[in-house]
Amino acid sequence: MRTPWAPPQRRDTCMTFKTPRLMIAALRGGAGKTLVSLGLAAAWRRRLGLSVVPFKKGPDYIDAGWLALAASHPCYNLDPFLMSPMDILGSFVRRAHGADVALIEGNRGLYDGVDADGTCSSAELSKLLKSPVVLVLDATKMTRTAAALVLGCRMLDPQVDVAGVILNRVAGARHERVLRQSVEKVNGLPVVGVLPKERENLFPERHMGLVPPQEHGRLAEAVERLAERMEALVDVEGLHDMARRAERLGWPAVGGCNPVAQLGGDAVRIGVLRDGAFQFYYPENLEALEESGAELVFIDSMNLPRLPEVDALYIGGGFPETHLAQIAGNRPFRESVREAVEAGLPVYAECGGLMFLSRGIRSGDRLHPMVGALPFEVEMGRKPQGHGYTVLEAVKETAFFPEGIELRGHEFHYSRVVDVTESLEFAFRVKKGFGVLEGWDGVCYKNVLASYTHLHACGQKEWAEGLLKAAVWHRNRKVMASETALRPPQASVVKAL
């Protein structure tokens, strides 16, 4: 069992990390911190010419995708539930080193965690990273109460460095004046930005948050206009000064998604479905595979006629339900995946990948055929069927994980498994979360492992190692089969013929 999360004790070290850094947090989800983070990343890059490395607190894929676009740099996740403190520090130092500034977007409210003590909250992460915090406050229908809310955030834990406030959804000049005066007078903190209510929403939402960048029709325009808005209404230079005042980190950069040991032999080819339907991949996961010697082959499930030759297949999450006609319409590709599964190809699938491997996805009154490797259908619901962190115990050995290992991940899916026609074999007992069927996750078939749980390579280093080993095993098996087929028949066999 993993020990409870707690910041590591400070220790002597031969290195010091001094990259400027700033966390954008809020009092609750939906207060506007994502748009502020996007606009600030773009404004820093555009107006000040800074190289910005973005980070997202928590397991979110969509906000991270937008941050990567705004910063013109991959966005990495930092999650105290999924990762140890040293893994977080190692990943942060490794990836932010050499940048002009690191921008960290928090999640939910500043002190919201997994329990009443706020364990794994954005506040705890800010202390670990010694990062100043700017609060985005939704000021709708309030004035001096805003000052009280900021004061509460400052007083609840004085070790959290609340450095400034951005007021969002301000109704007008008088509203701004009273808000600014009360917040600054009570707290002695600067209001570094005031954002009015917006009539046009350039960043529409749906059930899982913002519409992903891949499905937004006006990417460049949306980010450009957001950057212009931040430059006009927020003190972007002052925010950079706040980031520069961050204390040096004196902890050693250990852990942090360092690649697993290099595997011998030629590089294995790992296919990755990556298109409009399958887009949820942590950059750290892909980097862990590449840095360990794998060649990643990115595959468009909607347009390629068949699965290319690979040693293993990784199918991440996404929104297959919004691309059903295109996926179902590419029958040759689906059939080639089914053939590869039946031939023993190792396939690791998460959430959307599980849906893709099913017999079909029900949407309304219509069933859209999928790969058909797993003996069930998937039905879309109106409410989340599983949402939050998961803890899994491996109850059997698979091509990817040994029996007995405990895994930490997260799930967020509106789909559910229905019309199961055969007995399902599960790899994981769910200790926290929901899974495929209540209490169980990780459907096994041949060398397929399909789960609703997403895993992160920083906190679960066994993931990359397991996928690589499965790919090496399959490659060696193919080589042996090929050599056997090409070997001359033995004399006894020739005589018999």
Side-chain angles (χ1 to χ4, degrees):
M1 291 289 293
R2 188 177 303 193
T3 56
W5 193 92
Q9 296 298 310
R10 190 162 184 167
R11 62 185 74 175
D12 294 333
T13 178
C14 61
M15 69 161 291
T16 304
F17 177 78
K18 58 183 180 181
T19 298
R21 53 202 176 275
L22 188 69
M23 175 181 282
I24 304 298
L27 276 71
R28 62 172 178 81
K33 62 181 175 297
T34 297
L35 296 187
V36 168
S37 299
L38 296 179
L40 182 58
W44 272 346
R45 181 171 58 86
R46 192 179 83 152
R47 181 166 176 172
L48 303 184
L50 301 176
S51 60
V52 183
V53 177
F55 294 86
K56 171 64 183 177
K57 189 268 178 183
D60 188 278
Y61 291 103
I62 299 174
D63 288 357
W66 277 108
L67 282 166
L69 183 68
S72 192
H73 189 284
C75 178
Y76 301 101
N77 294 75
L78 303 171
D79 193 308
F81 183 86
L82 302 180
M83 309 169 193
S84 73
M86 281 301 158
D87 286 334
I88 290 175
L89 283 169
S91 181
F92 182 74
V93 169
R94 177 186 175 202
R95 292 178 165 89
H97 178 71
D100 292 325
V101 64
L103 179 64
I104 308 135
E105 183 194 343
N107 77 329
R108 298 188 179 274
L110 176 62
Y111 290 100
D112 297 335
V114 297
D115 54 28
D117 295 322
T119 305
C120 302
S121 67
S122 296
E124 293 301 314
L125 179 63
S126 76
K127 292 192 295 183
L128 176 64
L129 300 179
K130 295 187 176 181
S131 175
V133 175
V134 170
L135 284 176
V136 178
L137 193 152
D138 181 352
T140 302
K141 297 182 179 180
M142 72 170 70
T143 52
R144 194 166 187 257
T145 301
L149 293 171
V150 175
L151 180 64
C153 286
R154 291 178 53 231
M155 298 298 291
L156 183 61
D157 187 347
Q159 294 182 49
V160 177
D161 181 12
V162 179
V165 177
I166 294 176
L167 301 171
N168 191 24
R169 300 174 185 139
V170 176
R174 179 181 177 278
H175 191 203
E176 174 187 342
R177 183 175 65 254
V178 176
L179 282 166
R180 183 187 292 273
Q181 290 175 355
S182 59
V183 168
E184 293 184 340
K185 181 178 180 180
V186 170
N187 292 279
L189 295 177
V191 172
V192 291
V194 178
L195 306 175
K197 294 180 179 179
E198 282 294 303
R199 295 180 179 179
E200 181 183 10
N201 182 11
L202 290 172
F203 296 87
E205 300 184 18
R206 65 173 179 229
H207 55 267
M208 288 190 182
L210 296 180
V211 170
Q214 296 89 342
E215 298 181 37
H216 194 288
R218 300 155 63 190
L219 286 177
E221 177 191 354
V223 172
E224 186 75 9
R225 288 179 58 179
L226 190 57
E228 292 173 354
R229 185 179 181 218
M230 291 294 292
E231 291 172 14
L233 301 171
V234 174
D235 184 3
V236 295
E237 292 91 346
L239 288 170
H240 184 228
D241 290 339
M242 287 181 184
R244 293 170 63 186
R245 87 177 197 196
E247 291 184 49
R248 297 189 176 200
L249 286 173
W251 290 307
V254 298
C257 307
N258 292 321
V260 299
Q262 293 278 338
L263 298 173
D266 298 332
V268 292
R269 288 167 52 88
I270 297 180
V272 181
L273 292 201
R274 192 166 171 177
D275 49 38
F278 304 100
Q279 55 198 251
F280 291 170
Y281 297 97
Y282 295 120
E284 299 93 323
N285 287 27
L286 302 180
E287 289 174 7
L289 296 173
E290 287 183 314
E291 292 171 1
S292 301
E295 175 191 353
L296 299 186
V297 181
F298 295 107
I299 300 166
D300 186 336
S301 67
M302 294 181 282
N303 293 301
L304 277 184
R306 85 176 276 109
L307 183 70
E309 189 68 25
V310 293
D311 302 308
L313 183 60
Y314 175 23
I315 314 176
F319 292 107
E321 65 270 25
T322 64
H323 297 78
L324 292 175
Q326 298 96 314
I327 298 172
N330 193 357
R331 180 176 177 179
F333 182 82
R334 292 187 288 106
E335 290 179 345
S336 72
V337 173
R338 175 66 183 271
E339 292 169 4
V341 167
E342 296 298 335
L345 179 71
V347 181
Y348 183 84
E350 293 180 334
C351 198
L354 176 146
M355 299 166 68
F356 178 64
L357 294 175
S358 72
R359 286 201 311 272
I361 300 175
R362 293 181 185 175
S363 180
D365 297 330
R366 186 173 177 184
L367 177 66
H368 297 264
M370 293 290 121
V371 171
L374 303 179
F376 52 75
E377 295 170 3
V378 171
E379 183 177 67
M380 299 303 302
R382 295 184 178 181
K383 297 180 179 180
Q385 304 298 306
H387 183 196
Y389 290 118
T390 61
V391 178
L392 311 176
E393 177 190 1
V395 295
K396 62 166 289 180
E397 182 177 359
T398 64
F400 306 96
F401 298 109
E403 182 180 354
I405 190 173
E406 183 176 279
L407 306 172
R408 285 192 171 204
H410 75 99
E411 61 181 342
F412 191 2
H413 52 99
Y414 278 68
S415 67
R416 64 189 182 100
V417 168
V418 296
D419 195 18
V420 180
T421 56
E422 299 176 21
S423 296
L424 298 180
E425 187 176 358
F426 291 102
F428 307 131
R429 178 181 292 112
V430 177
K431 301 173 72 173
K432 176 181 174 64
F434 186 86
V436 171
L437 297 176
E438 189 169 7
W440 297 96
D441 203 354
V443 179
C444 302
Y445 174 72
K446 291 186 178 288
N447 291 318
V448 171
L449 179 57
S451 170
Y452 267 125
T453 288
H454 300 270
L455 298 179
H456 195 289
C458 280
Q460 212 69 64
K461 296 176 179 59
E462 300 88 350
W463 174 83
E465 182 178 346
L467 185 51
L468 284 160
K469 286 184 175 179
V472 169
W473 169 83
H474 187 65
R475 179 198 63 191
N476 292 343
R477 189 181 71 156
K478 289 188 298 182
V479 169
M480 291 177 62
S482 176
E483 290 175 348
T484 300
L486 295 174
R487 190 177 302 154
Q490 297 179 4
S492 59
V493 176
V494 174
K495 186 176 181 179
L497 292 174

